[in-house]
């Protein structure tokens, strides 16, 4: 059986007009998503995660490489707007307030995508009622306008608008980063519940690792347009093997003063500009493990365990370090203790 | 040097722009009712002599041929001859444009001197007498026609008080004008060291400049006020306040940020006034370019009208280029 | 601690925003907050909780049409509300400094960053322009901006978000203030950059011996950067405790709800969160949090709770704080 989404050796370059320079946004990225699965792309700004998302949607054409959705190629004029794909891939945006039409009631917003599927009015209303039930939105809320809702509720509607066509894949572009933590948690719960009920696959694009860990089956860590590590979520968070993954995880702050940000690897400086990248490992300039070879050769992506890929010459040295405590797991234990008392 | 390349590209782009402007205005001018040949020969001319003149002027040829010939002439710097003045249009315009430019340049400087500080002062306080005055001033300046204000000023300062010379032309008949260098009488008198001519030309400039200044201060005032108000409540001004910078420093930063918008409105007004000051020119018998073009329109004298359009277009393009370069200087985000 | 020893002593501060044809909306409803010299207080609240208004009210810069209705703001013993605007302006930037979010929009876009630092130094410390520029360069070095001589002449749009935030920290600390207010200072930054900027801010503040009011919507940050935590909800402080005590034994249901947002256990999280559909509109007469509270009792809808000590140094505004733990 073919994977729902297959991306092979994707390359995307943006020439900068008049300068002869090129932004190397995405470099040889391959990934797959099975039906009902969540793959997260994590990385900082400039890592190319949003560009990959837009290529997957067919909104921009890749410079090289193939994207196959359900066995058929995307791109080259075939996007989510193509007749046979309509409604099968959906998108949720980062800023709910900006992605909703301020003059449309929530019910209308939810019904909007169905118009393009040529569904009649009665069917549309029926479907909107079903979706409202999934979202936990009351009849009264469907009559409200976006400005009358909190950011969390707005994003709930944004997700509703995506699931209303019963898509097989939803691309979630930073769906929680504009929200307060409590609203973020509600959205994460909703996404997990919806996946359980509807079997939708997610491509989650995010820099928010707390959200990612919770929701993903697999995680791909992107740095300067390259996947430096990919593994199942639990495994990646418990035992990251790429120095960048470790630095990224160590930067996450959890609400527990006892969990010191302990890590023998700290990343110096900032992500460099993706214009005219030098040869060699993209992290070489910031990495404490880097040697002469890292600056000259690009490390190959190798398999280091079941479905665990890493692109680092020194991953065995990284693995030998005794630094990897899964602070997320420790926090979870503490948090379970804390939340178990006192309610009801 | 990106800036030199930018200017080069802009200048190159002037050619197609100019072509477009001439194309449109040529055919529009041809739509003006009235046959130049009939106008030139008068109502008593015979049909045959009219036909002959038409042939001579090239008016019997197809429009497209006429247009081609006109373009050809323009490319060589020949804008044809005006049958009213019987002089080459280029010569006429070189004499008349400086008169208009002197008038509107000084007029806009006065407008800026009134409108800008008043706008800044009004933006600082949402209430109070200055704000109220600025509101009424803006309203009044927008509502009053400039020629009416000119007539009132003439009545008060010339007819009633007799403080200024007669509103006829740019200099007293009795005063010998300085030799033409720039075309601006003020500058030329200074070059020639001719104080009598300087005093007389300044005296004649006073009322028309004041008219244009008082009227055009209105839009400048409004634009300054609204932009400074907006920048005063912008994020970086709020931050400057949080940093405890003195009020005048904060205000200066806000005014500085408002300059590009003020520059925009001034450049738009300048472009507009090249032709738009015509009523003021007529009231003061200024002999400017706008007046010249209007006479051309009224008498089916095609060449002055087209010549005026070409001149104004080139001038506007130059103004916009200068303005863009000023934006460059004012906003570092534009250089990049 | 007596009033004179405190850097900041806010008492019963009320801020109202008049609304058209309706009762004014209170952004702050009687806030009391004390900050000792050198302390780092974390003020946690969600959007609309009043946390930014509190920062602005301390500085005397409540955005119009908002008004401070009553209350007292003492800074190092001086009453800021009774001070005239000019005297207060001399304190801002020099003794009370602000670290803002989104610096690329809040720094002046047409002035080089070195000059923006030097301006604050020049106007507050009475030094020459040249000396002020020297201080600016030292500050750029101190906040570890690479190539500081060149960056002196850079414009804000030429800097990354992280670099611009470092410039803001440089401006804040250039005059060695007694109090630094940081308002959601790292919300727009990537995680690795956020960690770097927070580390920098803490080390700079400690070096200068300033007290910090660290305002954020992310309770996780405060766990690692603050000595004491205050939680604000609907314009009122609902809990205040030292950091360890707060995270080990949070007492207010709202605080626990904030912490639960980080839990990966949906069932436990659901115990502390009311579904969006269940939340009623009106706050009613009682506790402001009652409508969202999972532990609400009849009394919560009628009686307004006061902020009271439930343990030494641990305050909570709740009739039924979560106390027993094991």
């Amino acid at each position: 059986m073919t994977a729902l989404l297959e991306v092979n050796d994707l390359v995307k370059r943006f020439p900068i007009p008049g300068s002869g320079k090129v932004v190397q946004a995405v470099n040889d990225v391959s990934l797959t998503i099975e039906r009902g699965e969540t793959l997260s792309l994590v990385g900082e700004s400039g890592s190319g995660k949003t560009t990959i998302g837009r290529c997957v949607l067919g909104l921009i054409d890749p410079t090289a490489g193939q994207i196959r959705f359900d066995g058929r190629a995307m791109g080259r004029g075939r996007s989510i707007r193509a007749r046979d794909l309509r409604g099968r891939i959906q998108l949720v945006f980062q800023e709910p307030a900006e992605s909703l039409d301020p003059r449309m009631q929530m019910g209308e917003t939810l019904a909007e995508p169905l118009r393009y599927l040529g569904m009649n009015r009665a069917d549309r209303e029926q479907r909107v009622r079903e979706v409202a039930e999934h979202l936990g939105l009351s009849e009264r809320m469907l009559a409200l306008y976006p400005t009358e809702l909190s950011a969390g509720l707005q994003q709930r509607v944004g997700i509703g608008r995506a699931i209303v066509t019963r898509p097989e894949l939803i691309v979630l572009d930073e769906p929680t980063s504009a929200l307060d933590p409590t609203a973020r948690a509600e959205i994460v719960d909703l996404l997990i519940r919806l996946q359980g009920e509807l079997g939708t696959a997610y491509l989650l694009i995010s820099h928010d690792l707390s959200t990612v860990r919770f929701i993903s089956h697999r995680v791909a860590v992107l740095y300067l347009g390259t996947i430096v590590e990919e593994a199942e979520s639990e495994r990646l968070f418990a035992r990251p093997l790429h120095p960048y993954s470790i630095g990224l995880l160590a930067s996450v702050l959890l609400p527990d003063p006892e969990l010191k940000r302990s890590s023998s690897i700290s990343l110096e400086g900032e992500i460099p500009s993706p214009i005219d990248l030098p040869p060699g490992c993209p992290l070489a300039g910031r990495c404490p493990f880097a040697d002469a070879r890292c600056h000259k050769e690009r490390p190959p992506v190798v398999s280091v365990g079941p479905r665990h890929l890493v692109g680092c010459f020194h991953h065995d040295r990284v693995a030998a370090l005794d630094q990897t405590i899964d602070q997320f797991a420790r926090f979870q234990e503490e948090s379970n203790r804390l939340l178990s008392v006192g309610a009801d | 040097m990106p800036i030199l390349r930018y200017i080069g590209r802009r200048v190159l782009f002037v050619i197609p722009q100019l072509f477009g402007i001439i194309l449109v205005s040529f055919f529009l001018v041809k739509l003006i009712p009235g046959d130049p040949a009939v106008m030139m020969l008068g109502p008593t001319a015979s049909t045959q002599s009219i036909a002959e003149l038409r042939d001579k002027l090239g008016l019997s040829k197809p429009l497209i041929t006429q247009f081609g010939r006109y373009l050809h002439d323009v490319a060589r710097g020949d804008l044809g001859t005006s049958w009213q003045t019987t002089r080459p249009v280029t010569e006429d315009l070189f004499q008349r444009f400086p008169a208009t430019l002197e008038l509107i340049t000084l007029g806009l400087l006065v407008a800026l001197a009134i409108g800008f500080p008043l706008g800044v002062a009004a933006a600082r306080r949402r209430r109070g007498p200055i704000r109220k005055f600025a509101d009424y001033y803006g309203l009044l300046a927008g509502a009053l026609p400039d020629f009416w204000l000119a007539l009132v000023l003439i009545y008060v300062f010339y007819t009633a008080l007799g403080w200024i010379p007669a509103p006829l032309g740019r200099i007293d008949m009795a005063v010998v004008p300085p030799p033409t260098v720039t075309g601006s009488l003020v500058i030329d008198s200074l070059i020639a060291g001719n104080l009598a001519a300087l005093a007389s030309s300044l005296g004649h400039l006073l009322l028309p400049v004041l008219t244009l200044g008082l009227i055009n201060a209105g839009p400048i005032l409004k634009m300054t006020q609204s932009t400074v108000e907006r920048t005063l409540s912008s994020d970086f001004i709020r931050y400057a306040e949080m940093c405890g910078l003195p009020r005048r420093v904060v205000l200066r930063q806000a005014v500085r940020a408002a300059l590009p918008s003020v520059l925009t409105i001034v450049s738009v007004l300048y472009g507009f006034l090249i032709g738009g000051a015509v009523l003021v020119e007529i009231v003061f018998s200024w002999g400017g370019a706008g007046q010249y073009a209007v006479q051309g329109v009224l008498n089916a004298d095609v060449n002055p009208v087209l010549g005026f359009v070409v001149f104004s277009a080139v001038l506007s393009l130059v103004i916009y280029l200068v303005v863009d370069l000023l934006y460059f200087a004012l906003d570092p985000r534009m250089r990049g | 601690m007596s009033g004179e020893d405190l850097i900041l002593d806010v008492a019963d501060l009320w801020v109202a925003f008049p609304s058209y044809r309706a009762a004014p909306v209170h952004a702050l409803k009687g806030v009391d907050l004390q900050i000792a010299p050198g302390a780092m207080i974390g003020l946690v609240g969600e959007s609309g909780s009043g946390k930014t208004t509190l920062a602005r009210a301390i500085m005397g810069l409540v955005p119009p049409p908002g008004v401070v209705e009553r209350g007292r703001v003492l800074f190092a013993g001086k009453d800021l509300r009774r001070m005239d605007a000019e005297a207060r302006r001399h304190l801002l930037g020099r003794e009370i400094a602000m670290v803002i979010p989104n610096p690329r929009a809040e720094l002046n876009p047409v002035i080089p960053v070195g000059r923006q630092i030097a301006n604050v130094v020049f106007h507050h410390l009475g030094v020459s322009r040249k000396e002020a520029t020297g201080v600016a360069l030292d500050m750029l070095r101190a906040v570890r901006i690479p190539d500081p001589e060149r960056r002196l002449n850079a414009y804000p749009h030429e800097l990354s978000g992280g670099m611009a935030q470092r410039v803001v920290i440089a401006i804040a600390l250039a005059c060695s203030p007694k109090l630094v207010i940081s308002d959601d200072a790292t919300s727009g930054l990537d995680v690795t950059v956020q960690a770097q900027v927070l580390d920098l801010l803490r080390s700079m503040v400690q070096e200068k011996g300033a007290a910090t009011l660290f305002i954020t919507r992310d309770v996780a940050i405060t766990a690692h950067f603050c000595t004491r935590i205050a939680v604000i909800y609907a314009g009122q402080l609902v809990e205040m405790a030292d950091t360890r005590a707060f995270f080990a034994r949070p007492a207010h249901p709202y605080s626990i709800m904030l912490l639960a947002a980080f839990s990966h256990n949906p069932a436990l999280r659901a115990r502390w969160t009311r579904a969006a559909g269940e939340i009623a509109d009106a706050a009613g007469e009682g506790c402001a949090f009652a409508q969202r509270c999972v532990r609400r009792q009849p009394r919560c809808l009628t009686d307004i709770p006061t902020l009271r000590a439930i343990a030494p140094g641990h305050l909570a505004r709740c009739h039924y704080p979560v106390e027993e733990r094991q």
Side-chain angles (χ1 to χ4, degrees), chain C residues 35-180:
Chain C
I35 302 182
M40 288 191 92
I41 307 287
L43 179 70
V44 182
E46 297 186 286
S47 354
S49 59
K51 57 190 195 302
T52 297
T53 306
L54 177 58
R56 303 286 296 275
I58 290 170
M59 290 186 290
L61 294 172
V62 174
V67 284
V68 178
E69 279 189 339
R70 65 169 197 258
R72 192 185 62 185
V73 180
L74 292 185
F75 174 75
K78 286 168 280 188
D79 191 338
L80 289 182
R81 286 198 60 207
R82 296 229 178 110
M83 216 175 251
D84 68 74
E86 190 59 17
R88 196 167 49 210
R89 183 183 69 64
H90 279 290
L91 287 180
L92 296 184
R94 187 166 101 189
E95 301 202 5
I96 306 176
M98 186 77 188
V99 179
I100 46 166
N102 194 13
R104 273 193 293 186
E106 305 212 14
L107 289 169
N108 191 320
V110 301
I111 302 180
V113 293
R115 223 190 125 117
Q116 300 198 39
I117 306 173
N119 268 343
V120 174
V121 175
F122 174 77
H123 288 293
H124 283 311
L125 300 187
V127 297
S128 72
R129 276 269 171 213
K130 206 169 157 222
E131 284 170 294
T133 308
V135 174
L137 184 60
D138 291 344
M139 288 310 295
L140 285 183
R141 277 205 195 96
V143 296
R144 277 167 272 165
I145 285 185
D147 202 358
E149 284 87 358
R150 199 165 58 83
R151 292 296 160 87
L152 218 46
N153 297 314
Y155 290 95
H157 71 277
E158 296 168 336
L159 301 178
S160 69
M163 286 299 149
Q165 195 55 268
R166 283 164 194 265
V167 170
V168 168
I169 292 174
I171 292 175
L173 293 162
C175 300
S176 303
K178 294 200 183 100
L179 173 68
V180 174

Side-chain angles (χ1 to χ4, degrees), chain B residues 183-196:
Chain B
S184 152
L185 284 179
V186 175
I187 297 172
D188 288 350
S189 325
L190 282 173
I191 292 172
N194 185 342
L195 290 183

Side-chain angles (χ1 to χ4, degrees), chain A residues 57-74:
Chain A
L57 294 166
L59 298 175
I60 51 176
D61 281 336
T63 309
Q66 302 94 40
I67 298 165
R68 293 180 160 272
F69 177 75
D70 199 17
R72 285 196 56 195
M74 300 282 294

